[in-house]
Amino acid sequence: MALVYGVEKKTVPAYMKYAMGGTSGMLATCLVQPMDLLKTRMQISGTLGAREYRSSFEVLSKVFKNEGVLSLYNGLSAGLMKQATYTTARMGVYQMELDWYRMNYENDPSLVASMTMGIVAGAFGAMFGNPAEVALVRMMSDNRLMPEDRRNYKNVGDAFVKIVKDEGVVALWRGCLPTVGRAMVVNMVQLASYSLMKNHLRGYIDEGIPLHLSAAMMSGLLSSLASMPLDLAKTRIQQMRMIEGKPEYSGAIDVLKKVVKNEGAFAMWKGFTPYLIRMGPHTILSFVFLEQMNKAYNKHVLGDSQSDSSEP
């Protein structure tokens, strides 16, 4: 924060905002990766012509039985790369937007301003993170395919090389439009609701981890409900194959139309339980880690012991 009601303060450098944003996302991903795998498997259930899973528990039991416990972390390298690109960009951009707003208006942003800043931050993050997102979805869904159909990526670097070699550079941005759309919705709701809930709850809860947890829990629930259909469309597009020389889907709208027609309207929220279980803790952990890193930087580097956090 550059100014506090006209009083100049030391600020966290821009590069540290990006670094702490990405690091917070990577730490959270290490803990919630299994939920992301369950969510992805649920979302692509039915794309092979039959309904593979009836519930998240069935996914979990089949993964344990057929693939082993460690397979819950399939795609972890891609998940970490996604956070290093997507979360680094979105958190860094959003915090810089907040600092700019407070420096120019000397006040907390309004609801409309917070939502607008979240949309911009989400779009930037999604464009940077899309290649890792493509690799992540494919790596998490690979074991469900027949051996001859598997891509067998060793890690995210191997995935990038093989995708570029076999499909071209553009394939790294397959599904970019629904990815950007989902990210804009997620960030519009997640970042804006977190800031607003945190400001509102300050009247009831003292600054600290309980406040951050409470605001992040509400933010995770709201963003999960709003973004799930676009997340499903993104997942289906990124792992689709060519059928008789033509792509399985022409775009996000085509995915959602086919899902509603063939699987029912509620299928747009298929995998919601693991999605919420994944996004909720990921949102909470990301914000808590970020708050604590900001607090530590302000205290130990800037020497600002009065500042509890640099609010995201």
Side-chain angles (χ1 to χ4, degrees), residues 14-305:
Y15 72 88
M16 282 304 302
K17 293 180 184 292
Y18 284 90
M20 288 190 290
T23 302
S24 67
M26 293 173 75
L27 291 172
T29 291
C30 289
L31 299 177
V32 303
Q33 177 72 10
M35 292 300 103
D36 206 14
L37 183 136
L38 296 184
K39 179 267 298 182
T40 299
R41 293 288 181 92
M42 284 291 292
Q43 287 182 330
I44 58 180
S45 174
T47 58
L48 296 180
R51 187 176 182 181
E52 298 168 76
Y53 311 111
R54 290 187 294 271
S55 68
S56 302
F57 295 105
E58 185 177 359
V59 179
L60 187 62
S61 65
K62 286 186 176 180
V63 168
F64 278 150
K65 180 180 178 180
N66 301 325
E67 303 170 38
V69 176
L70 292 180
S71 64
L72 289 172
Y73 281 88
N74 282 352
L76 179 60
S77 63
L80 294 175
M81 177 62 74
K82 174 186 172 182
Q83 297 303 319
T85 51
Y86 167 65
T87 301
T88 296
R90 77 181 182 108
M91 288 291 203
V93 168
Y94 188 73
Q95 289 186 91
M96 291 179 70
E97 289 173 323
L98 276 176
D99 287 348
W100 176 87
Y101 189 96
R102 288 166 175 155
M103 181 175 65
N104 285 274
Y105 296 99
E106 300 183 7
N107 203 349
D108 288 323
S110 64
L111 174 61
V112 174
S114 294
M115 293 173 70
T116 302
M117 290 188 290
I119 288 172
V120 173
F124 270 101
M127 286 187 287
F128 280 108
N130 201 80
E133 183 81 36
V134 172
L136 175 63
V137 168
R138 292 184 177 191
M139 291 173 74
M140 290 193 297
S141 61
D142 211 34
N143 283 351
R144 61 186 278 278
L145 302 174
M146 296 297 291
E148 63 271 16
D149 294 327
R150 294 175 185 173
R151 297 179 171 97
N152 295 315
Y153 299 143
K154 298 176 183 177
N155 51 55
V156 66
D158 184 49
F160 287 162
V161 171
K162 288 183 177 178
I163 290 171
V164 172
K165 180 181 178 181
D166 298 337
E167 305 169 54
V169 176
V170 177
L172 291 172
W173 276 270
R174 177 176 289 175
C176 188
L177 287 179
T179 299
V180 170
R182 170 195 173 276
M184 291 169 70
V185 171
V186 167
N187 285 272
M188 177 184 69
V189 178
Q190 185 186 74
L191 297 178
S193 64
Y194 179 77
S195 293
L196 292 171
M197 286 299 299
K198 188 175 169 185
N199 290 335
H200 177 73
L201 291 173
R202 275 200 181 102
Y204 307 95
I205 306 174
D206 292 334
E207 181 69 44
I209 290 181
L211 173 63
H212 306 157
L213 284 172
S214 300
M217 287 174 64
M218 288 300 300
S219 175
L221 175 60
L222 293 173
S223 53
S224 296
L225 286 169
S227 65
M228 190 74 197
L230 282 172
D231 188 76
L232 180 140
K234 168 197 70 67
T235 299
R236 294 273 178 111
I237 289 173
Q238 288 175 334
Q239 65 84 45
M240 71 178 177
R241 291 185 174 274
M242 304 297 286
I243 300 177
E244 297 180 355
K246 296 181 180 180
E248 188 177 358
Y249 304 108
S250 61
I253 300 300
D254 185 43
V255 174
L256 296 179
K257 284 182 178 179
K258 288 180 177 178
V259 167
V260 172
K261 179 181 178 181
N262 300 325
E263 304 171 47
F266 287 108
M268 290 192 293
W269 283 270
K270 182 182 288 185
F272 179 77
T273 300
Y275 186 69
L276 177 61
I277 293 174
R278 183 263 180 199
M279 177 169 274
H282 194 277
T283 299
I284 293 168
L285 291 169
S286 294
F287 280 129
V288 170
F289 285 141
L290 181 59
E291 295 273 12
Q292 295 306 305
M293 283 188 285
N294 271 307
K295 180 179 179 180
Y297 191 91
N298 283 327
K299 180 178 180 180
H300 298 293
V301 179
L302 301 182
D304 183 8
S305 60

